[in-house]
Amino acid sequence: MELGIGIGWRPEIADTVERLPGVDWVEVVAENVCPGHLPGSLSRMRARGTRIVPHGVSLGLGGADRPDEHRLTALAERAEALGAPLVTEHIAFVRAGGGLTATQALEAGHLLPVPRTRDALKVLCENVRIAQDSLPAPLALENIAALISWPDEELTEGQFLAELVERTGVRLLIDVANLHTNHVNLGHDPVRALDLLPVESIAYVHVAGGVARDGVWHDTHAHPVPPEVLDILAELRSRTDPPGVLLERDDAFPPKEELAAELTAIRTTLARAAREALRVGAHPAHPDARDTPRHTPAPPRAHDAETETEIPAAAAPGTAASHRESPTPADPAAVAAGRRQSGARPQRVPATACAARTADTHRPSTPEPTGRRSPATAGTRTADAAPPGTPAPARGRSCDSDGEARTAGRVPPHRPERHGTFTTAVLAPAPGRRAADGVGAPEGSGRGRATTGVTAAGPATRANAANAADEADDAVRVRLGIGQAAVLSALVAGTPAPEGFDSRRMRVQSRALSAKRADVVAKVAPELPEILGGGYRDAFLAYARNRPMRSGYRRDALDFAAHLLASGRVTDVRVRRRLTLWHDERAAARPPLRATRFVRAARAALTIR
């Protein structure tokens, strides 16, 4: 599906986006639109054939809990209202705690990185499958920017994304600005990440700007796109022609001419990289260090719009800087390279995986004839039938743990020991369980080792295996949930940083979260900065230092006002009166009558005089 060049639609620039020349499609923050009352600008753009992609920010698919049914339903409704060709979300967690860990439920109000471990990948894959079963369009997931990293990670970013695609068939939304952010803040090599990516799974690309403060790169989406981000976009284009590229801008919106110039810079970068790729030949996705030196990311430098920007060559092969091991059979890089050479698309391979595969490797973009399943039943499949549109495995392929596709005869990557032992080569899943969760998986598919040549086990054995699998799943989620709750508590509630985390980076991330809360609350409740004047920001940051969000930003605004009134920090009588009226009007069980609002406004005006 070709999208072309697009821009993020935001209410503040709705008219500008509608009039910008050469905009093929737009992306809208899903939580900011109402399915039954689309803004006029979006309705007009849709009527003239402009594609609109909803971009979710609140599912938290990387969290320890399973996706919330109501959030999934809301996202599905928005996708249907917009006639979306696909739906996008993030590889992140946004909340933690609650019933799973028997701790206080916490909201981040921001996208936080998941640990790149086997446990986290297992949970993410299951959550992605639940979301895929609940949405009316294909799902694509975005890599996020991070200020912090988890200790003892087992996979690189590129490996993590490659395995995610292999196990679920999900598409990727690659944000090259986030790759740059993680290069500056965490030392991750964006070129190495691109080398490992299954680029044929890319749905589209994000491009955005940011700013460096105190040695940290902040992905603000409120500054011009820097040359370094365009360099990474060119690197990606040298590997593949992405179906779409989108410019993100969320704040400090410039004039129409500046937005048009940034879109032109993106088109120029793509065209230049395409010409260069044709001139020198396609960039080898996974060169062997014995033959080809690896590339290194370009250092920050000025960008010459008139000349091609070259990336300096690395040290000669064989040195520490350029050494790259030959891909092993189980190396995700080798798998991705083989796909690129063959032109194959990534395929979603559930753990039942040896069902018949259709030629189409994508999930259907329309609901099944029987209707879209509700999130409550998503992921539940019968033992004797594969779901409509489920691809069958390619010849000579089987599944390793958690449904990851691998070539028959190759040694799968190392996995921790799992609970439960199957005594049959293939078991049917227990009622109410999906085979992708490991029950009834074929040999080598995960929870225990199937013994070939043994006759099928009876119902009791299958039930025991299912119970053991459930317990193993729950244990993995609890472990992940405890870790995420500890991190989020340190960031938003003032508790000490967990062991192994960089305390300085955790403080930087905590301040960034508080600053974002202040900015968003000022947008959803613009009366608060007006009432409090210049003291609003300092007062909010002091409030947010050790008071986590209880729910969304509107609830946060009410809690902030209630805190100011209860603490006695507002001493000015007129300001206190206005703040009290504002809070009472919005905290009531239902909106006040028009006459009540008129009387309150009159009293406030008399008080001010």
Side-chain angles (χ1 to χ4, degrees), residues 94 115 131 136 138 157 169 187 236 293 374 421 436 453 547 553 586:
V94 297
E157 183 169 23
L236 187 150
S374 69
T421 301
R547 292 177 179 83
Y553 285 106
R586 287 157 180 79

Side-chain angles (χ1 to χ4, degrees), residues 65 95-107 481 484-486 488-489 492-495 546-551:
D65 287 299
R95 60 188 63 86
L100 182 67
T101 58
T103 58
Q104 179 186 1
L106 300 172
E107 289 279 342
Q484 291 179 341
L488 189 50
S489 179
V492 303
T495 59
N546 56 6
R547 292 177 179 83
M549 293 175 63
R550 292 196 298 158
S551 184

Side-chain angles (χ1 to χ4, degrees), residues 103-297:
T103 58
Q104 179 186 1
L106 300 172
E107 289 279 342
H110 189 68
L111 303 166
L112 296 175
V114 301
R116 291 194 296 272
T117 62
R118 297 291 177 186
D119 275 0
L121 180 61
K122 177 184 179 65
V123 170
L124 174 62
C125 287
E126 183 181 352
N127 289 348
V128 166
R129 294 180 190 117
I130 293 172
Q132 287 172 320
D133 289 339
S134 304
L135 295 171
L139 176 66
L141 295 182
E142 178 182 353
N143 58 305
I144 71 164
L147 291 175
I148 59 174
S149 60
W150 289 73
D152 303 322
E153 292 189 318
E154 300 167 351
L155 301 166
T156 67
E157 183 169 23
Q159 290 170 333
F160 193 85
L161 295 176
E163 289 209 28
L164 173 64
V165 171
E166 284 291 325
R167 296 185 186 193
T168 66
V170 73
R171 306 297 300 277
L172 293 178
L173 162 50
I174 297 300
D175 191 316
V176 292
N178 290 347
L179 291 178
H180 172 66
T181 301
N182 295 342
H183 168 56
V184 175
N185 293 344
L186 305 175
H188 296 170
D189 184 347
V191 177
R192 175 61 175 163
L194 292 177
D195 284 346
L196 292 173
L197 283 182
V199 293
E200 70 281 358
S201 70
I202 294 176
Y204 63 92
V205 177
H206 271 174
V207 178
V211 63
R213 286 195 297 264
D214 301 325
V216 174
W217 185 266
H218 296 269
D219 184 46
T220 62
H221 296 187
H223 295 80
V225 177
E228 294 81 12
V229 170
L230 293 177
D231 289 344
I232 299 175
L233 177 63
E235 278 284 343
L236 187 150
R237 178 61 185 87
S238 72
R239 292 157 172 77
T240 187
D241 185 7
V245 179
L246 182 126
L247 173 65
E248 283 190 297
R249 192 68 179 240
D250 293 331
D251 208 347
F253 299 102
K256 174 185 175 182
E257 293 73 21
E258 291 186 27
L259 288 175
E262 291 207 283
L263 291 172
T264 298
I266 291 172
R267 294 188 187 95
T268 302
T269 298
L270 293 170
R272 182 180 299 138
R275 290 195 302 269
E276 181 67 11
L278 288 174
R279 187 178 68 82
V280 302
H283 180 92
H286 300 281
D288 192 302
R290 294 168 298 180
D291 303 319
T292 308
R294 72 184 294 271
H295 287 67
T296 57

Side-chain angles (χ1 to χ4, degrees), residues 218-473:
H218 296 269
D219 184 46
T220 62
H221 296 187
H223 295 80
V225 177
E228 294 81 12
V229 170
L230 293 177
D231 289 344
I232 299 175
L233 177 63
E235 278 284 343
L236 187 150
R237 178 61 185 87
S238 72
R239 292 157 172 77
T240 187
D241 185 7
V245 179
L246 182 126
L247 173 65
E248 283 190 297
R249 192 68 179 240
D250 293 331
D251 208 347
F253 299 102
K256 174 185 175 182
E257 293 73 21
E258 291 186 27
L259 288 175
E262 291 207 283
L263 291 172
T264 298
I266 291 172
R267 294 188 187 95
T268 302
T269 298
L270 293 170
R272 182 180 299 138
R275 290 195 302 269
E276 181 67 11
L278 288 174
R279 187 178 68 82
V280 302
H283 180 92
H286 300 281
D288 192 302
R290 294 168 298 180
D291 303 319
T292 308
R294 72 184 294 271
H295 287 67
T296 57
R301 60 192 183 280
H303 179 72
D304 187 346
E306 300 298 326
T307 61
E308 297 183 7
T309 303
E310 297 182 355
I311 295 180
T319 64
S322 64
H323 175 68
R324 174 178 294 169
E325 297 179 357
S326 300
T328 62
D331 185 1
V335 178
R339 283 197 311 269
R340 273 189 284 272
Q341 292 170 3
S342 65
R345 285 278 183 179
Q347 299 183 351
R348 181 184 175 189
V349 186
T352 49
C354 297
R357 186 179 297 241
T358 61
D360 183 9
T361 62
H362 299 297
R363 294 180 52 77
S365 59
T366 56
E368 301 171 10
T370 55
R372 190 182 72 252
R373 284 171 288 177
S374 69
T377 59
T380 302
R381 292 174 179 163
T382 60
D384 55 355
T390 300
R395 294 188 61 181
R397 294 179 70 83
S398 60
C399 294
D400 71 0
S401 60
D402 301 319
E404 180 185 2
R406 60 178 172 85
T407 303
R410 289 184 176 178
V411 179
H414 171 73
R415 295 289 190 272
E417 289 297 319
R418 309 296 173 94
H419 296 287
T421 301
F422 293 162
T423 57
T424 177
V426 180
L427 295 179
R433 295 285 301 171
R434 62 182 289 176
D437 289 339
V439 180
E443 177 183 359
S445 66
R447 311 189 202 294
R449 302 291 181 222
T451 304
T452 58
V454 180
T455 58
T461 303
R462 289 197 294 270
N464 291 338
N467 291 336
D470 285 341
E471 292 175 2
D473 281 349

